Amino acid sequence: HGAAELDETGTEALPRRTPAPAWIPTAKGEEGDFCLRSSDCAAGLCCARHFWSKICKPVLREGQVCTRHRRKGSHGLEIFQRCQCAEGLACRLQREHGPADASRLHTCQRH
């Protein structure tokens, strides 16, 4: 009576797969949605730290302020991470026509 059902090949029948639970997101995350990695976010967004969690944030466009990391691994120390610059852009020191010590701001600029 307690024996498992066997299929025609003589092996134990596997239980049918049930659909994924409703709480598992099927669509990519929108801006402000919680995420674990950038692949969880929709196109044009990345997964970045915001306080002690991670949310989908927009990838930076030309002229937007970006973060330049001097040491490898320093990205993890930020409480508010920014996404990287969009494709074709690089995070460079903003060119100012004022005094040399004016701004140490980095912005996304064309290569």
Side-chain angles (χ1 to χ4, degrees), residues 35-91:
C35 56
L36 292 175
R37 61 192 69 80
S38 291
S39 61
D40 296 338
C41 301
L45 302 173
C46 82
C47 188
R49 190 178 336 281
H50 189 80
F51 285 115
W52 290 270
S53 57
K54 293 175 97 179
I55 62 171
C56 296
K57 295 184 180 184
V59 170
L60 301 176
R61 295 185 303 274
E62 188 172 7
Q64 290 186 305
V65 174
C66 54
T67 306
R68 180 82 181 219
H69 299 285
R70 297 192 191 343
R71 290 187 312 275
K72 199 176 181 124
S74 64
H75 203 58
L77 303 175
E78 296 176 86
I79 293 178
F80 297 106
Q81 288 179 334
R82 289 186 177 105
C83 287
Q84 61 278 33
C85 296
E87 206 169 312
L89 302 175
C91 188

Side-chain angles (χ1 to χ4, degrees), residues 80-106:
F80 297 106
Q81 288 179 334
R82 289 186 177 105
C83 287
Q84 61 278 33
C85 296
E87 206 169 312
L89 302 175
C91 188
R92 295 197 179 124
L93 189 61
Q94 190 171 356
R95 295 181 209 107
E96 294 272 335
H97 297 295
D101 62 346
S103 174
R104 301 294 303 159
L105 219 52
H106 286 78

